[in-house]
Amino acid sequence: MTLFIFLENSTYNFLRNFSTFYICRDPQYKELQRCIFCNEAEFRRFRQLLVNVVIATDIFDADMKDLRNKRWEKAFQQQDLSLTREDEFNLKGTIVLEYIMQASDVAHTMQHWHVYTKWNERLFEETYSAYISGRGEKDPSEGWYKGELWFFDNYIIPLAKKLKECRVFGAASDECLNYAISNRTEWEAKGEDIVKRFVGRVKGQGKQERK
């Protein structure tokens, strides 16, 4: 069912290109494939994991988000007596891999303030450039400040809490959560002025390029 939902989303093209190297099982990659899976059952399991972790990067799909949350509750917050020990292990492993994939996509938000603002500015520049060139519909500066607060409250901090709960990163999980909360607090205090600086630098770069 998950795969059929996934096929209807725009990320399908990304998966198709991303997975060609592995899933098509090109003979020229036999040695690599033997390192990843040694039989058909392991191949199917690998393929399932690959699909799940790529779907996990589509964080704004409400249906998939709800599905992941339910699976998280089933794996870590509820005792499901119908699951065998192996099924429970596989479920937890899949969920953890999905959240690691998500965390890697937004890792800058859970690091030092200077790391966060550095990559946040680069994302802003990319988004603003798309807007100026006609590839983006909305001026990102209009909602960037509040958007970051929403992102911390509804995605980053809950994600960091899940990483801490499953203890996959050990003591580093606490660090991720602490940085996320700290960055959120500092952005709330300084973010509006920072966005103004972002806009000023982007416009300054645009003037230099036109000369």
Side-chain angles (χ1 to χ4, degrees):
M1 180 61 182
T2 299
L3 181 58
F4 289 119
I5 295 172
F6 171 67
L7 291 175
E8 295 177 357
N9 292 307
S10 58
T11 45
Y12 168 64
N13 288 329
F14 172 65
L15 175 67
R16 183 180 59 188
N17 294 325
F18 176 82
S19 61
T20 297
F21 179 81
Y22 298 102
I23 294 178
C24 288
R25 294 197 277 190
D26 192 314
Q28 65 178 312
Y29 301 117
K30 276 186 176 180
E31 292 184 8
L32 175 62
Q33 291 158 9
R34 289 194 193 102
C35 294
I36 301 173
F37 47 83
C38 62
N39 55 47
E40 189 64 24
E42 288 188 1
F43 168 74
R44 289 196 299 270
R45 176 61 177 156
F46 170 73
R47 186 177 188 277
Q48 179 185 356
L49 286 173
L50 182 63
V51 169
N52 285 345
V53 297
V54 173
I55 293 174
T57 63
D58 190 2
I59 62 176
F60 295 109
D61 186 311
D63 292 334
M64 295 308 303
K65 183 175 182 292
D66 289 342
L67 180 62
R68 279 193 297 273
N69 287 339
K70 288 177 182 177
R71 285 194 288 127
W72 172 272
E73 292 174 3
K74 184 177 182 179
F76 290 98
Q77 297 178 346
Q78 299 174 357
Q79 186 176 12
D80 190 341
L81 299 178
S82 67
L83 292 177
T84 65
R85 190 179 186 124
E86 182 179 1
D87 288 340
E88 182 180 2
F89 178 82
N90 288 337
L91 177 62
K92 288 183 176 180
T94 300
I95 293 291
V96 168
L97 283 174
E98 290 176 1
Y99 282 110
I100 289 175
M101 187 75 166
Q102 290 183 345
S104 68
D105 203 30
V106 293
H108 65 290
T109 63
M110 304 179 196
Q111 298 182 60
H112 192 277
W113 169 253
H114 296 298
V115 175
Y116 163 62
T117 52
K118 171 186 175 181
W119 291 102
N120 186 255
E121 180 172 12
R122 293 190 178 186
L123 178 60
F124 178 85
E125 290 175 353
E126 181 180 332
T127 308
Y128 194 85
S129 176
Y131 166 68
I132 293 299
S133 64
R135 292 181 289 112
E137 297 180 357
K138 186 178 179 181
D139 181 350
S141 65
E142 294 177 359
W144 200 265
Y145 169 70
K146 290 184 178 180
E148 285 296 292
L149 293 177
W150 184 93
F151 198 46
F152 273 112
D153 291 340
N154 293 279
Y155 184 70
I156 300 302
I157 293 175
L159 174 60
K161 288 179 178 178
K162 283 185 170 70
L163 293 175
K164 179 180 180 179
E165 186 177 342
C166 69
R167 294 175 293 181
V168 67
F169 292 142
S173 298
D174 291 320
E175 189 174 88
C176 289
L177 179 57
N178 291 338
Y179 272 132
I181 294 172
S182 175
N183 287 338
R184 196 268 183 212
T185 300
E186 197 155 358
W187 179 263
E188 184 176 24
K190 303 176 180 178
E192 289 179 303
D193 290 333
I194 290 173
V195 172
K196 291 178 183 178
R197 290 202 296 271
F198 286 176
V199 174
R201 281 197 282 264
V202 171
K203 289 184 176 179
Q205 292 172 5
K207 289 178 181 179
Q208 291 179 353
E209 290 174 358
R210 288 192 294 270
K211 288 182 178 179

